[in-house]
Structure formats: structure tokens, C-alpha cells
């Protein structure tokens, strides 16, 4: 017997599959028709026409048997549901915030927070924009100012915490506008638009102390704070011995409140919340939530949804879960890198981002190269990805196109849904599109909605 000496230590998912959902790869001609019908916008494809769906990790998660069990015992009372109190207890214990205001999803919480705190003419600094977050800040009359560190704009920088806020940039914004024009700092964990890049505890502490000096609130976008906590445990000096729960708790301890999309870290299909410490702000939020979401003890979620979210939050902070979750994303990143595909590094927590500026460098940004690539990837392998470049960036208040420095395609991994074989197929399809990159052209826009255009815009190849 001759056993190799360097036997790898592979990881495996801490779950097995109990129910399966059938998927089908439409043939080449069907894919061509489907993409044309969708106006080259992957948001407009029918799910049935998609083989492997990496559009988003939002609400696309597989729930556990424990979560399904909780669904069956959900309390559907209009007022005072048992599951509201259960969720409140879990949010207090895990995130550490005193008041819970449930919402139908993250943007419902962003809406409430923005309406409550932002006045016309205000400035909201944050670590890179997120589409819906910025929309709500501007809808409430504010202006978003990006204060993320410069490394975030460089897809090749291996900075371990590319999501960090640049303290000098933030101090300059405070100097320029004055603290009374800044209702809060919008602080995102595992910054989505930067490539799923984490922030460090050290940065949070620094931002917190600057905010405290000026009496400015610090609000967390906790959507992927658990995934960020995993990176802190792996990368931040002195954090290796801390549990995910301890790190998450510490992140939140510096914050005045958070908005949360339960559809990500919370491992559910719908739901979210606003959580704050201030009694009077909570009171105002409860007054507002009844107008936009539902009574303050359900806020747009069914009782069973709150029950599933409460269990999902508990599962999300188990080390074995979060390790498998983030390392599966890394597996896809390594596969792509082995093929020579330019991707954003370090690999993100929820997605791998293709660096389209390097893949389709011959296409001007005004011809939507990342949007085109996403379409080509669907034609190639029935794989659905999402543009995160000029289309997502939209237009400024004067109506001009915003040209972001990052032109990316996001391959987003739903939680507990796909296996390594799916990701092998994805990496091979991406590499094949890259192989024929020179023969790919741009797109022109033929329909553009007035806001958040990436969801519904239609395109045609040039
Ligand atoms: N904040 C971040 C960082 C997000 O990624 C999202 C949603 C939201 C807020 C809004 O939450 O969807 O529950 O209303 N991101 C999804 C995505 C849509 O595909 O990245 P929501």
C-alpha cells in the first residue's frame, strides 16, 4: 500500500440534505430567448429558466429543520405574538440592542431610520454606498458621502479589512459640514459593494470614539455582521480566542442601533428589523412602523417568519456553520483564481466578485461591461449573477451617470443551498466566458427606471 504523505484536511458542511428542489439547464436556444425577453437584465429572468442562481444571497437561503419546526408553531396573533417576544429576546441577547422594531426586510428598517433621523440638507457619511440604503438616505433629503478607505477601490489590494472607514476622511467631512448636519454615521459590516469586505474591531472603536467626541450617532448595517465577525476572528490580532458571538456582541456594543436584513445572516427567506437603544427613538419608530409595515409586534412579518428568524440568528453564530459558509465562498474564489480569472481579493464573505475592468477592458464603462458579462454567463451555463458596477451606481442628483471605480459581477452564494459541484460548474462557465472575452461587445440601455435602475432596466447588445 502506497498512501500519499500530504493528505489534505478538507472541510465539510455541518449539515446534510433532507429535501431537494429540482433544477434544469435550459438548452442554448432557450437561454438566448430567455435573455432577450429579459432585456439582458438578470433580474428580469424567470427563476425557472435559471440553472444555478447566484443572483443574491438575500432570502435565498435553505432553512434548517429546526427553523421549519418553528414555522409550524408560529403564533399568528395580530398583536403581541409570542414569536415577537422570542425574537426580541434573541436580538437583545445576540446583538445587544434594547428595542426591536420588526420590518418586512432590511430596506423597511432603512426607511424608518432615514425618515426618523435625516432632515433635508443633512450629510450621511458611510463606508461605501449600498443601493437601497443610499436611496432611503436621499429620499429623506440627505446626501451620502463615501468615507471608506482607498484600498476598497482597488480590487487587487489584499488589505485584510478593506471595508474600514478612513478616519481622516470622516474627520474632514465632520469639519466641513459640522456635527449638527450629520444625523449619524452609516457603518456597514462586510461591505457588499466593495466585494463583501470586512471591517475591523479596531476601526469600529476609532470611529466610535470620533463619533462620541462630536456627539454623532453610529448606526450599523448589521446585514452581514456575523460573516464579518468570522473574518475578525481569522484576521484581527488578539481575536482568535473570541467566539463569533463575543465578536458580534462587541461590534454592536459600539453602535446606537442597527438596520438588519434577516434574509442574509439570519438564514431566512423574508424579514428584517430596526434595533435601537434610545427609548425615545424606539417610541418614534414604533409610531412610524404601524404606518409603513404593520403593528409594532410584527412589522410586516408573519408570526412564523419571526419564529424562523429567531432560530436562524441562533444558528448563524455557531462556529461550524459560519466557517462552512464563508469557506465555501472561498472555495469558489480559489477555483476561479486557479483558472486565471481576475477576481476581487481577499475573497468576500458572501460572494466572489469578478473584476470586469480587467476581463472586458476593451469595453467602455458607459457600455455597461459588467451587465454584459452577467448576460454572457447566463448564455454560457444558465448561471445567474448580478451586475455591481455602473448600472447599480445609477445617476447623481443632476441626472448624470455615476462612474464607480469598481465594475464588478457578483457571484453570490445562497446559504446552505449549493454544493461544491455546483461551484465547480460555475467556475468552469466563468472561465469559458473569459476565454472568449475579446469577442464580447457592450450594451446600450433601452429602458431606464427613475431610481434603483438595476432592478428593471432593459438593454440591447451594441
Ligand atoms: N444592506 C445591505 C448591505 C444589503 O446587502 C441589503 C440587501 C440591504 C441592506 C437591504 O436589505 O434586501 O432585506 O431590503 N442586499 C441584497 C443583495 C438585495 O442582493 O445584496 P433587504
Amino acid at each position: 500500500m502506497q498512501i500519499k504523505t500530504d493528505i489534505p484536511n478538507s472541510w465539510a458542511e455541518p449539515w446534510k440534505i433532507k429535501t431537494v428542489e429540482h433544477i434544469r439547464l435550459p438548452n442554448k436556444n432557450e437561454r438566448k430567448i430567455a435573455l432577450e425577453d429579459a432585456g439582458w437584465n438578470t433580474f428580469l429572468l424567470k427563476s425557472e429558466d435559471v440553472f444555478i442562481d447566484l443572483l443574491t444571497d438575500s432570502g435565498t437561503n435553505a432553512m434548517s429543520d429546526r427553523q421549519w419546526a418553528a414555522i409550524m408553531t408560529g403564533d399568528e396573533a395580530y398583536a403581541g405574538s409570542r414569536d415577537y417576544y422570542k425574537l426580541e429576546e434573541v436580538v437583545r441577547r445576540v446583538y445587544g440592542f434594547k428595542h426591536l422594531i420588526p420590518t418586512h426586510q432590511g430596506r423597511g428598517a432603512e426607511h424608518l431610520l432615514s425618515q426618523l433621523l435625516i432632515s433635508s440638507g443633512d450629510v450621511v457619511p458611510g463606508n461605501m454606498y449600498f443601493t437601497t440604503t443610499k436611496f432611503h438616505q436621499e429620499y429623506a433629503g440627505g446626501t451620502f458621502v463615501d468615507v471608506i478607505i482607498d484600498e476598497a477601490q482597488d480590487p487587487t489590494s489584499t488589505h485584510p479589512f478593506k471595508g474600514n472607514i478612513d478616519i481622516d476622511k470622516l474627520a474632514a467631512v465632520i469639519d466641513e459640514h459640522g456635527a449638527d448636519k450629520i444625523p449619524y454615521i452609516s457603518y456597514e459590516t462586510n461591505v457588499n459593494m466593495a466585494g463583501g469586505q470586512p471591517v475591523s474591531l479596531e476601526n469600529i472603536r476609532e470611529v466610535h470614539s470620533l463619533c462620541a467626541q462630536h456627539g454623532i450617532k453610529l448606526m450599523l448595517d448589521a446585514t452581514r455582521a456575523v460573516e464579518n465577525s468570522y473574518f475578525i476572528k481569522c484576521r484581527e490580532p488578539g481575536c482568535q480566542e473570541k467566539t463569533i458571538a463575543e465578536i458580534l456582541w462587541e461590534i454592536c456594543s459600539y453602535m446606537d442601533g442597527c438596520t438588519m436584513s434577516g434574509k442574509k445572516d439570519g438564514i431566512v427567506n423574508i424579514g428584517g428589523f430596526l434595533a435601537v437603544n434610545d427609548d425615545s427613538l424606539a417610541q418614534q419608530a414604533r409610531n412610524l412602523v404601524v404606518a409603513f409595515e404593520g403593528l409594532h409586534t410584527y412589522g410586516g412579518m408573519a408570526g412564523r417568519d419571526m419564529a424562523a428568524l429567531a432560530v436562524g440568528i441562533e444558528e448563524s453564530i455557531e462556529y461550524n456553520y459560519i466557517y462552512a459558509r464563508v469557506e465555501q465562498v472561498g472555495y469558489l474564489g480559489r477555483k476561479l483564481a486557479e483558472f486565471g480569472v481576475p477576481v476581487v481579493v481577499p475573497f468576500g464573505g458572501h460572494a466572489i466578485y469578478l473584476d470586469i475592468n480587467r476581463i472586458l477592458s476593451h469595453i467602455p464603462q458607459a457600455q455597461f461591461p459588467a451587465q454584459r458579462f452577467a448576460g454572457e454567463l447566463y448564455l454560457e451555463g444558465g448561471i445567474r449573477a448580478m451586475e455591481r458596477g455602473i448600472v447599480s451606481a445609477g445617476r447623481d442628483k443632476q441626472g448624470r451617470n455615476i462612474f464607480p471605480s469598481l465594475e464588478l459581477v457578483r457571484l453570490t452564494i445562497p446559504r446552505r443551498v449549493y454544493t461544491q459541484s455546483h461551484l465547480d460548474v460555475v467556475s468552469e462557465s466563468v472561465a469559458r466566458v473569459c476565454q472568449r472575452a475579446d469577442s464580447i461587445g457592450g450594451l446600450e440601455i433601452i429602458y431606464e427606471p427613475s431610481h434603483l435602475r438595476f432592478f428593471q432596466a432593459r438593454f440591447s447588445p451594441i
Side-chain angles (χ1 to χ4, degrees), residues 402-433:
I402 297 170
F403 287 83
S405 55
L406 297 174
E407 181 72 15
L408 309 173
V409 163
R410 187 180 75 173
L411 302 169
T412 338
I413 315 297
R415 296 167 187 79
R416 306 190 290 210
V417 170
Y418 291 114
T419 63
Q420 273 183 209
S421 337
H422 291 113
L423 300 187
D424 290 342
V425 169
V426 170
S427 65
E428 290 157 22
S429 293
V430 171
R432 260 186 226 110
V433 177

Side-chain angles (χ1 to χ4, degrees), residues 345-362:
V345 290
F347 304 140
H350 66 302
I352 296 299
Y353 291 71
L354 307 176
D355 184 5
I356 301 302
N357 282 333
R358 279 184 288 159
I359 297 173
L360 297 177
S361 52
H362 58 289

Side-chain angles (χ1 to χ4, degrees), residues 55-58 104-108 110 130 132-133 188-190 192 221 223-224 259-264 271 350 386 388 410 412 455:
L55 183 72
T56 176
D57 63 330
S58 181
H104 73 287
Q105 59 183 77
R107 70 200 70 178
E110 291 170 348
F130 183 71
T132 58
T133 320
E188 187 184 334
T189 31
N190 253 23
N192 195 350
D221 182 338
T223 298
R224 298 184 184 84
T259 53
M260 170 71 181
S261 170
K263 302 169 74 173
K264 284 80 164 177
H350 66 302
M386 185 192 290
R388 294 275 83 155
R410 187 180 75 173
T412 338
F455 284 129

